[in-house]
Amino acid sequence: MARIKLELPEVWHFSTIINIRIGDINFAGHLAHDAILSLVHESRALLFHDNGWGELDVEGKGIVVADVVITYANEAFFRDILRFDLAVTEFTKKGCDIYYRIIRVGDEKEIARAKTGIVFFNYEERKPAEVPSGFVKRFT
């Protein structure tokens, strides 16, 4: 089986710490694969909040997630503390990619990598919108 390789950017724009909760643990006693996607969403929401935006309001535009890639490297467990490093890159007219590097604090082991492709969206008109200029400026 060919594994997906997710190459990470060199520059990171934001970092946040998230503790693994008991609800993030699966039957095998480690961080569940689906919980990683939820934690990625949490870290992206924190990135937006830290910059004064909401996922439904970046200069009047919202976002939709168009695609997701997650690769897993190591187990993580209940009460582990994870650092999420985020980079916003690869801008197009209507969207961009956000990369995530997930590291366990303490031993610095990489737990997972992820990428979400986002498209800006005008929810009133129900159609894609151009990337807001202030968003581009913040990350380029």
Side-chain angles (χ1 to χ4, degrees):
M1 172 183 93
R3 299 261 339 249
I4 295 171
K5 296 198 188 300
L6 187 56
E7 298 296 324
L8 297 176
E10 292 182 19
V11 175
W12 298 96
H13 299 109
F14 178 78
S15 290
T16 192
I17 300 295
I18 300 176
N19 296 336
I20 296 179
R21 307 159 303 174
I22 193 64
D24 298 326
I25 302 302
N26 66 13
F27 66 92
H30 58 226
L31 180 61
H33 70 278
D34 58 326
I36 290 179
L37 182 57
S38 179
L39 294 170
V40 161
H41 181 178
E42 178 80 12
S43 68
R44 184 180 61 247
L46 291 167
L47 163 76
F48 277 60
H49 184 267
D50 193 62
N51 285 281
W53 305 313
E55 290 185 314
L56 291 176
D57 185 13
V58 179
E59 297 179 26
K61 305 297 180 237
I63 65 162
V64 294
V65 174
D67 56 57
V68 176
V69 175
I70 301 173
T71 62
Y72 306 93
N74 286 290
E75 293 179 295
F77 303 96
F78 174 56
R79 300 206 60 197
D80 277 353
I81 300 168
L82 303 181
R83 186 184 75 237
F84 286 71
D85 300 322
L86 284 69
V88 183
T89 66
E90 301 175 23
F91 283 92
T92 65
K93 185 176 180 181
K94 302 211 184 239
C96 63
D97 288 335
I98 303 177
Y99 286 84
Y100 310 78
R101 178 175 60 190
I102 305 166
I103 304 291
R104 182 175 30 240
V105 173
D107 64 7
E108 294 299 305
K109 269 195 174 177
E110 183 176 289
I111 303 304
R113 295 177 177 190
K115 180 189 82 68
T116 55
I118 64 170
V119 174
F120 282 85
F121 200 74
N122 182 323
Y123 278 93
E124 289 179 11
E125 297 177 8
R126 308 302 302 176
K127 66 180 187 179
E130 287 191 23
V131 179
S133 61
F135 189 85
V136 174
K137 263 188 201 176
R138 166 61 181 90
F139 300 110
T140 54

